[in-house]
Amino acid sequence: MKALIFVLAAAPALAASDGATGNDWPQYGGQSSAWRYSALDQVNRTNVKKLQPVWVFQTGDNVGGLQATPIALDGVIYLSTAHNWVFAIDAVTGREIWQYRYPMAESLTIIYGPGNRGVAVAEDRVFMGTLDNSVVALDRKTGRELWRVNVEDSKQCGCNITGAPLVVKNKVIVGVTAGDSAHRGYLTAFDAATGRLAWRFWTIPGPGEPGHETWAGDSWKYGGGSTWMTGSYDPELNLVYWPVGNPAADFYGGTRKGDNLYTDSIIALDADTGKLKWYHQQIPHDVWDFDSAYESVLLDLDWEGRPRKLLVNVNKSGFVFVLDRTNGEFVSAWSVARHFNWVKGIDRNGELIGRNEPELGKTKVLCPSIGGGRSWNHGAYSPRTGWFYTVGLEWCQEVTAQQEEPREGDAYFGGTFKLVHPEGEEAHSHLDAYDPVTGRKHWTYRAKYMLLASVLATAGDLIFTGDPEGYFFALDAKTGDKLWSFQTGNGHRGSAVTYQVNGRQYIATPTGWGSAVAALLSQLWPEAENFRSGSALFVFALPEE
Amino acid sequence: MLWLTLLLLAQAAPAPVEVAPGAAVFARTCAVGYCHGTGGAAGRAPRIQGRTFARDYLRKVVLEGIPSTGMPAWKGKLSDEEVDAVVAFMMSVATPGPSGPAAAPRAIVAAPSDREMPPEARRGRELFFDAGRIARCGTCHLLENRGMAIGPNPASPPPKSASDLRKALPREVGLARLTNGEQFPALLVERKDALVRLYDLTAAPPVLRTVSGAEAAFSKPAAWSHGQAVSDYADAELEAVIAYLQWVAGP
């Protein structure tokens, strides 16, 4: 079922822009190139079996899962929870330095359920998006609120913010949810010092703008195009890469005929002005809810004999799209999921082959499910192996399209679905090592349930992630062999990081089961309904000599 | 006696409820996306199938939602008949409780405001909440449970003309001067614990700033007018907005 087979392997160029982290984990994706790779190697393949917990931080915000990427900076960890509580924690001892609780209106309907994927820290400030679609800036030393701005009324738009902001120079860039609501998506930048609006990019072009013609009638007003995860940034090109989500209604496209730009696209924006430099649409006129919402990993690799500046993005369908990030040119595509029938494949020009669409009033089995060939939990790239490590999910769904009336801010799915096991085998997931451009697989690690936590790669040639049953574990980056594991007592839905203080390397992982996709597991495995919720940060290190 | 018992039983037994219309309402509203799953099989939202509910509880939750969760209020979005039907459907897939499913009490569902709305007011409401504008009226004003309560209630009393509307100036608006040299038109919210909270009105959306009292001076007059805030709207549009505000204010 592989759509493309390449013979060549991409070689990591020695002059590659360095996406590795060092003592700190300063940004959501490690660095703004989103490698989720650390150059720390004190913990390595030989000694990882001695790894032990050094402290645990219980947040107390136990509903919605702990989905965050902690930020570790100068010996302090900044952690956000599902209901927008923020903690500054001593990275060595686990002592709370300060906490901030966003004052949420009691009457708020929390669209899509609670959840937050992280804060951004820059200079003396901590930034967070909120469940009522606001952005706050906190004093990094005290946690005191400095400014707060409502991006758009969540009662009206049916939208909010769960993704971590991206800070570029003096701007805080935040996305928005509501790709499955009757809403028109956007990306907004605010001045980091004052909170004032800096720029706004509408992901659905308005009347008179190029691309507006890709939406029939009034459908552009309700077309989704959310920006719910965090983008990447290339300082050399001064481009912000933001992944855009699916069009609404998700499963029914009859009222939005056209390609529906810029949904399911990677957009490259000038970081200072928010002006569009290029875009690449992965799925024109999506009717499967296959967002392009996940991370964009920026890699400088030699490809077909010349150095290329590439961008690797995993679409929710499980297809990985590799682009030239200077101009958006398509390079290759390959799938992390084995079970797919929504298309037959993707050709050499990046065009979909053999679309298999949901039908009005008819129930069809489509793979992968709405949960994705992968969920948002991020992959990691190690320059030592040159491989990209990410999860694949094998599950399908019975989907029935229906025509719904768009009501501003209300759910607008255009159908219903029920998860089912793939034909011939039980649903499951796997974490694999791939060549990032060709998708050539080097090893695979199989898991019973869906792996929904991000991957961390380190220079100790270790790959860390956690599973829904509570195990946090380390695999050998070269072979996939499991070298160590620890039962944290709660399922994993967040993103592990590593940092070093006073010469000691720490590995920190959020634990805390929850989220929309996590909740879907009970449709396949009834016992998953009773998977416990929680919210804690576990930190590990080697024993002190 | 037997016939009486039978008659009483017949009266106590629930009237046969048509479930099919409720299944359709459920599919269209409750089963979508990450919510309750096809037929109530569970999703992000709780499972309905096989659980035990009181009918009144389901009705209340459908109408009012559950604050601080993802469950919205359907009052005003579903008709009385649809609410009845969807509750009946949910009871049909749920497990009957110890007392069995009770007959549906015919609760009175509050209808959305059905006071007649002139077309001009309707257009005004659309403009007030125009999602295409960052600086829309709703960015600063709350009406009909939409928008942000930053500025005062604009319908109390409604302005008489576009020129009145442009001149509106809340008492709390002034000029903020910070010791770092920043200076901006501001709406004072509160002074508390040596902190000052004020909205920076320089551009939409307003930014709520918290500064220490020692760092901020607040004075009148304001270098700001409501006319700047509504500069995205043409005169004719403001007239429609006023018609809407007058409709909200009522007779």
Side-chain angles (χ1 to χ4, degrees):
Chain A
M1 280 177 108
K2 186 148 281 176
L4 287 175
I5 296 166
F6 287 93
V7 184
L8 294 166
L14 288 174
S17 66
D18 194 0
T21 61
N23 285 344
D24 294 325
W25 190 276
Q27 298 198 48
Y28 182 73
Q31 303 287 7
S32 65
S33 47
W35 287 9
R36 290 188 178 264
Y37 168 81
S38 168
L40 298 177
D41 61 0
Q42 186 179 85
V43 180
N44 57 44
R45 288 192 292 169
T46 314
N47 60 21
V48 67
K49 58 182 177 291
K50 293 191 218 154
L51 206 57
Q52 61 185 35
V54 290
W55 54 263
V56 179
F57 186 88
Q58 299 278 357
T59 75
D61 187 5
N62 292 338
V63 174
L66 188 58
Q67 303 184 38
T69 294
I71 298 296
L73 214 48
D74 303 328
V76 179
I77 288 175
Y78 301 89
L79 179 70
S80 58
T81 69
H83 290 85
N84 296 132
W85 303 354
V86 185
F87 297 91
I89 306 162
D90 184 311
V92 173
T93 65
R95 176 183 61 88
E96 176 184 310
I97 300 169
W98 54 255
Q99 65 166 283
Y100 166 86
R101 297 190 181 197
Y102 181 73
M104 205 81 68
E106 289 296 328
S107 58
L108 183 74
T109 295
I110 299 175
I111 326 287
Y112 308 114
N116 186 273
R117 306 210 171 91
V119 298
V121 183
E123 296 181 13
D124 58 350
R125 291 172 181 217
V126 178
F127 303 96
M128 174 178 62
T130 72
L131 292 173
D132 69 357
N133 204 28
S134 296
V135 182
V136 292
L138 309 177
D139 183 305
R140 191 177 148 190
K141 288 217 163 58
T142 64
R144 177 167 81 70
E145 188 179 299
L146 298 170
W147 56 254
R148 180 201 308 180
V149 61
N150 182 258
V151 184
E152 187 185 15
D153 174 24
S154 63
K155 299 186 292 298
Q156 178 179 341
C157 67
C159 61
N160 60 24
I161 305 170
T162 51
L166 177 72
V167 176
V168 174
K169 294 186 264 189
N170 63 340
K171 293 186 179 66
V172 187
I173 306 172
V174 287
V176 70
T177 64
D180 314 314
S181 302
H183 181 249
R184 178 186 177 208
Y186 48 72
L187 187 67
T188 317
F190 294 93
D191 183 281
T194 65
R196 284 181 202 146
L197 181 80
W199 52 256
R200 155 72 56 90
F201 180 83
W202 295 94
T203 57
I204 299 180
E209 292 175 324
H212 184 68
E213 71 287 353
T214 65
W215 296 86
D218 267 357
S219 61
W220 63 280
K221 289 183 182 170
Y222 309 111
S226 67
T227 47
W228 55 281
M229 291 305 298
T230 304
S232 301
Y233 173 63
D234 183 328
E236 241 171 73
L237 300 169
N238 195 35
L239 290 180
V240 168
Y241 303 98
W242 214 279
V244 182
N246 60 286
D250 301 36
F251 295 127
Y252 178 70
T255 46
R256 54 171 168 85
K257 291 199 166 63
D259 280 355
N260 306 146
L261 292 174
Y262 299 98
T263 63
D264 289 4
S265 302
I266 302 295
I267 51 173
L269 306 179
D270 180 291
D272 301 315
T273 63
K275 295 271 182 285
L276 183 70
K277 288 287 174 181
W278 58 256
Y279 71 92
H280 176 267
Q281 189 175 41
Q282 299 171 348
I283 305 179
H285 192 75
D286 173 14
V287 283
W288 305 274
D289 187 11
F290 286 157
D291 307 58
S292 306
Y294 307 158
E295 75 276 12
S296 292
V297 183
L298 311 185
L299 302 176
D300 292 1
L301 299 176
D302 282 337
W303 175 244
E304 292 179 329
R306 62 189 175 102
R308 298 289 291 269
K309 289 181 178 297
L310 301 177
L311 179 155
V312 178
N313 172 263
V314 184
N315 180 280
K316 198 189 196 188
S317 65
F319 271 93
V320 179
F321 286 78
V322 183
L323 306 177
D324 181 321
R325 73 173 184 273
T326 64
N327 55 19
E329 189 186 298
F330 175 81
V331 174
S332 69
W334 50 276
S335 180
V336 299
R338 281 182 299 107
H339 288 278
F340 62 84
N341 68 354
W342 66 283
V343 286
K344 288 202 167 62
I346 294 177
D347 74 13
R348 281 196 164 263
N349 302 314
E351 310 281 337
L352 307 185
I353 307 164
R355 293 166 68 105
N356 179 16
E357 303 192 355
E359 290 175 37
L360 262 184
K362 190 178 153 195
T363 300
K364 243 182 169 177
V365 175
L366 288 174
C367 317
S369 83
I370 189 174
R374 201 199 78 183
S375 187
W376 61 262
N377 45 294
H378 309 294
Y381 170 78
S382 167
R384 285 176 54 87
T385 55
W387 297 344
F388 181 54
Y389 301 87
T390 194
V391 162
L393 307 179
E394 308 296 346
W395 50 359
C396 304
Q397 66 192 354
E398 293 170 354
V399 59
T400 315
Q402 65 189 6
Q403 191 171 348
E404 295 162 10
E405 273 308 305
R407 273 189 303 225
E408 187 184 17
D410 280 2
Y412 189 36
F413 273 95
T416 58
F417 65 90
K418 186 172 163 239
L419 301 189
V420 293
H421 294 277
E423 203 178 324
E425 66 173 338
E426 185 167 356
H428 65 280
S429 67
H430 39 88
L431 167 59
D432 313 87
Y434 296 101
D435 182 283
V437 183
T438 65
R440 187 175 154 231
K441 193 182 283 196
H442 297 279
W443 54 253
T444 186
Y445 168 86
R446 182 172 166 133
K448 174 177 166 57
Y449 299 112
M450 297 312 173
L451 290 168
L452 296 177
S454 296
V455 178
L456 165 69
T458 73
D461 286 332
L462 295 171
I463 300 299
F464 290 92
T465 194
D467 67 24
E469 296 167 278
Y471 288 100
F472 182 60
F473 54 93
L475 305 181
D476 185 319
K478 292 177 176 167
T479 64
D481 294 338
K482 190 183 276 187
L483 301 175
W484 171 85
S485 94
F486 183 87
Q487 173 54 259
T488 60
N490 211 268
H492 291 250
R493 188 52 170 136
S495 305
V497 302
T498 183
Y499 58 91
Q500 183 162 287
V501 184
N502 301 328
R504 192 179 191 200
Q505 183 186 355
Y506 298 86
I507 316 276
T509 184
T511 73
W513 189 240
S515 83
V517 172
L520 295 181
L521 261 55
S522 67
Q523 293 188 10
L524 293 172
W525 298 285
E527 69 273 22
E529 184 177 294
N530 296 329
F531 282 5
R532 303 180 307 276
S533 61
S535 178
L537 187 71
F538 270 72
V539 178
F540 302 89
L542 295 174
E544 284 179 297
E545 296 295 314
Chain B
M1 231 14 225
L2 185 62
W3 64 270
L4 183 60
T5 311
L6 281 175
L7 183 66
L8 285 170
L9 274 175
Q11 282 177 337
V17 185
E18 181 66 68
V19 165
V25 176
F26 193 89
R28 206 171 69 231
T29 52
C30 319
V32 296
Y34 294 105
C35 299
H36 293 282
T38 301
R44 177 75 183 84
R47 172 168 55 86
I48 307 296
Q49 289 177 10
R51 293 178 66 201
T52 304
F53 296 102
R55 186 179 296 263
D56 287 355
Y57 171 78
L58 286 182
R59 168 179 290 278
K60 180 174 156 47
V61 169
V62 169
L63 291 174
E64 297 170 17
I66 305 177
S68 305
T69 73
M71 179 65 197
W74 291 93
K75 186 154 50 181
K77 292 178 176 174
L78 293 179
S79 69
D80 291 9
E81 291 72 25
E82 287 171 321
V83 171
D84 282 349
V86 81
V87 169
F89 170 74
M90 285 191 283
M91 291 304 285
S92 78
V93 299
T95 299
S99 57
R106 183 71 199 177
I108 292 165
V109 179
S113 178
D114 50 4
R115 193 149 49 81
E116 197 187 330
M117 194 170 195
E120 178 77 340
R122 193 170 297 279
R123 184 161 160 267
R125 184 200 258 162
E126 278 166 22
L127 288 163
F128 195 97
F129 296 110
D130 180 2
R133 303 175 202 234
I134 294 172
R136 56 183 181 251
C137 308
T139 302
C140 299
H141 300 282
L142 178 97
L143 277 182
E144 299 189 275
N145 196 35
R146 276 197 294 172
M148 302 303 290
I150 295 171
N153 178 351
S156 172
K160 292 190 172 60
S161 66
S163 140
D164 264 12
L165 186 150
R166 285 209 178 83
K167 277 188 264 175
L169 187 67
R171 260 188 306 122
E172 303 81 2
V173 172
L175 182 72
R177 282 198 193 84
L178 306 189
T179 49
N180 69 4
E182 272 189 87
Q183 195 169 308
F184 52 84
L187 174 74
L188 186 64
V189 178
E190 64 172 354
R191 295 173 192 272
K192 196 181 160 193
D193 304 335
L195 294 176
V196 180
R197 285 153 70 79
L198 31 75
Y199 279 102
D200 172 0
L201 302 179
T202 304
V207 183
L208 181 62
R209 299 278 298 264
T210 305
V211 290
S212 89
E215 288 172 49
F218 182 78
S219 63
K220 305 270 181 98
W224 181 85
S225 79
H226 193 236
Q228 288 166 248
V230 300
S231 61
D232 274 10
Y233 291 89
D235 266 9
E237 291 177 323
L238 291 181
E239 296 294 346
V241 167
I242 290 167
Y244 167 54
L245 298 179
Q246 286 166 346
W247 177 84
V248 171

